[in-house]
Amino acid sequence: MDKRLRNYFMMSDVPRLIGIGMMAAGAILLLLAWFVPIGLFFWILMCLCLAGGPVLFWVAGSMRASESDIDEHLKRSTSDMGLSPSDESKYRKRLLSSMPPQTVSTYVYREGLMLARSKDGTVRSEEYAKAMIYVLTDGIVIISRTISLISDEKQNQTIEIPFASLEKAELVSEKKQLSFGKKSFEVKESFLQIVHDGITLQLPTQLDFKLEQFVEKLNEMAAEQK
């Protein structure tokens, strides 16, 4: 596992910002030197900023994964999800071609996980969950995976739920106050919640109108087969 992914949560971005600040200060001093004489102290300071700033920026950046690194890691870790050849053979005649698979995914939020806030305000955690829901003529097949950003651990699950036993599908959300280190994070946790045979299955997700329509259609199809 890439240690830089763990460092994304453990290391501050302050060293990189200091490096940027040093480069900016060095550039300002260099520009100033073109127009007015500057003393030896400022020449030394300028050289230190112009030489040390890029080094600090590069070293700090090389030790800590960027947000694009994390996005790429998640993409690679879930790219092979979907029906296996044996599953395709098993469900081929029952797959509903008019309803493409619905994908739900997001970060997992619970106390005890490492957390960090990205530049766009998104709270990322060390765990990420993704599920693909295939609609059959008589039920659904859910292929889910939870992956860790700080280890090689993966949890895979495949479950088939007949419409006859699907009691309810709904979208639920709640706000949570979590902490990691000295920082506190307010997150909105959302699930696609499926109740079947008295069992409640929660799939972490982000909410959107397309998903709302999908859930509504599942409930309609389940009601028709009861």
Side-chain angles (χ1 to χ4, degrees), residues 22-82:
M22 290 175 65
M23 288 187 284
I28 292 173
L29 288 172
L30 180 61
L31 181 63
L32 185 63
W34 280 98
F35 297 99
V36 296
I38 61 174
L40 178 62
F41 171 78
F42 289 104
W43 274 106
I44 295 174
L45 180 61
M46 179 187 70
C47 292
L48 288 175
C49 288
L50 291 177
V55 172
L56 180 59
F57 179 83
W58 181 83
V59 171
S62 65
M63 295 176 63
R64 183 177 185 264
S66 67
E67 291 161 13
S68 59
D69 291 332
I70 291 178
D71 293 338
E72 183 60 31
H73 174 76
L74 295 177
K75 183 179 179 180
R76 289 196 309 268
S77 299
T78 58
S79 61
D80 62 333
M81 288 183 65

Side-chain angles (χ1 to χ4, degrees), residues 2-221:
D2 189 345
K3 291 183 179 180
R4 297 185 310 139
L5 295 173
R6 176 185 287 273
N7 288 341
Y8 176 82
F9 300 98
M10 300 297 293
M11 291 178 59
S12 170
D13 204 31
V14 171
R16 294 179 74 248
L17 297 178
I18 293 176
I20 294 173
M22 290 175 65
M23 288 187 284
I28 292 173
L29 288 172
L30 180 61
L31 181 63
L32 185 63
W34 280 98
F35 297 99
V36 296
I38 61 174
L40 178 62
F41 171 78
F42 289 104
W43 274 106
I44 295 174
L45 180 61
M46 179 187 70
C47 292
L48 288 175
C49 288
L50 291 177
V55 172
L56 180 59
F57 179 83
W58 181 83
V59 171
S62 65
M63 295 176 63
R64 183 177 185 264
S66 67
E67 291 161 13
S68 59
D69 291 332
I70 291 178
D71 293 338
E72 183 60 31
H73 174 76
L74 295 177
K75 183 179 179 180
R76 289 196 309 268
S77 299
T78 58
S79 61
D80 62 333
M81 288 183 65
L83 292 175
S84 65
S86 60
D87 286 337
E88 288 184 357
S89 176
K90 177 180 179 181
Y91 298 118
R92 182 178 296 113
K93 294 182 179 180
R94 297 159 57 201
L95 276 172
L96 202 60
S97 58
S98 60
M99 290 187 68
Q102 176 70 44
T103 300
V104 296
S105 62
T106 193
Y107 291 92
V108 177
Y109 299 123
R110 68 170 181 273
E111 200 64 53
L113 295 180
M114 292 195 290
L115 304 168
R117 189 179 302 278
S118 62
K119 295 175 183 177
D120 64 0
T122 301
V123 177
R124 299 175 185 249
S125 81
E126 66 180 79
E127 284 190 11
Y128 186 84
K130 179 178 178 178
M132 300 181 69
I133 306 168
Y134 292 83
V135 182
L136 309 176
T137 55
D138 58 348
I140 58 175
V141 175
I142 302 172
I143 299 174
S144 63
R145 175 177 295 173
T146 302
I147 66 173
S148 170
L149 286 168
I150 63 171
S151 72
D152 294 322
E153 291 183 8
K154 290 183 182 180
Q155 297 178 357
N156 297 300
Q157 183 181 36
T158 300
I159 180 173
E160 180 179 348
I161 303 175
F163 281 131
S165 63
L166 196 157
E167 300 169 29
K168 180 174 62 174
E170 62 181 341
L171 298 173
V172 296
S173 296
E174 64 173 339
K175 287 186 177 181
K176 278 185 174 182
Q177 198 72 29
L178 301 174
S179 60
F180 174 58
K182 297 181 180 180
K183 295 183 179 180
S184 180
F185 301 85
E186 183 179 85
V187 298
K188 182 179 180 181
E189 187 176 38
S190 301
F191 296 99
L192 167 52
Q193 184 167 279
I194 299 174
V195 182
H196 66 100
D197 297 317
I199 302 170
T200 300
L201 175 66
Q202 290 186 321
L203 303 173
T205 187
Q206 294 179 338
L207 304 182
D208 58 45
F209 181 66
K210 181 181 177 181
L211 182 57
E212 291 177 2
Q213 290 181 312
F214 179 80
V215 170
E216 183 178 344
K217 184 63 176 179
L218 286 186
N219 285 319
E220 290 177 357
M221 297 178 72

